[in-house]
Amino acid sequence: MIIWLNGTFGAGKTTTAEELTSHIREARILDTEKIGEMLWHVLGVPDGDFQDFPPWRGLVVETARQILDHVGGTLVVTQTVLVEQYWQEIRTGLAEAGVPVRHFLLHTDQDTLVHRIEADTKPDSVAGRQWRLDHLPRYQQALPWLHREAEVLDTTELPPGLVAEVIASRVWPHGDGLYR
């Protein structure tokens, strides 16, 4: 199974994923950005985003399938996908591979997003701050299809630990698969 945490930068995907994997037996985080970085090395830096490389979408599906075939369990993916066609390709590929996916959109209001992005002091976050701020309009444009395709969780007032508990309770309402 895959639990896909979508949402724009600052919504809490990474921190929530860390919390979530601590609650789930045999859970691992799959960082699909590493696949994008590998493609940069091979194909060069794209004009837009590594997700624009068609091989990225296929490699995400194949990597997830092979990891799950090898170790089983649950993969938690923290990846912002704002292009509906790209999400459809990934979702369809995973379905054809027999991999169930629960897609969650971690959402918060614009002011909170800007505050979180500007307050993030991790070195890689400071360097990419403007890039992340510049992507907020793309996120707003993607919201209609994201609301159709994902289970939406408002993270504005919820700490990541509680967001992780809500996700876990939705995926396993009776506690099956959880450590508790």
Side-chain angles (χ1 to χ4, degrees), residues 37-160:
E37 291 169 8
M38 183 265 309
L39 288 173
W40 282 346
H41 176 73
V42 175
L43 302 175
V45 178
D47 291 334
D49 189 303
F50 60 75
Q51 292 181 18
D52 297 333
F53 289 134
W56 178 78
R57 299 177 305 271
L59 287 169
V60 165
V61 170
E62 188 59 20
T63 301
R65 185 194 65 76
Q66 288 205 22
I67 290 171
L68 288 170
D69 284 352
H70 182 67
V71 296
T74 301
L75 293 179
V76 178
V77 177
T78 58
Q79 183 65 58
T80 301
V81 178
L82 300 180
V83 177
E84 185 175 12
Q85 175 190 336
Y86 297 174
W87 173 251
Q88 296 301 333
E89 288 177 39
I90 292 166
R91 187 188 60 154
T92 300
L94 291 167
E96 289 173 354
V99 177
V101 178
R102 292 292 296 268
H103 182 202
F104 291 91
L105 174 65
L106 305 188
H107 176 76
T108 190
D109 62 76
Q110 182 88 0
D111 290 340
T112 302
L113 287 170
V114 170
H115 173 74
R116 288 178 184 175
I117 292 168
E118 290 177 345
D120 193 345
T121 58
K122 291 177 256 166
D124 61 333
S125 296
V126 171
R129 181 176 291 146
Q130 190 58 52
W131 186 87
R132 294 185 299 155
L133 290 168
D134 291 345
H135 278 74
L136 292 179
R138 286 185 62 211
Y139 173 68
Q140 293 299 323
Q141 291 170 347
L143 281 175
W145 78 260
L146 286 168
H147 277 266
R148 284 192 315 272
E149 290 289 328
E151 298 177 55
V152 181
L153 293 174
D154 187 330
T155 65
T156 305
E157 300 294 329
L158 297 178

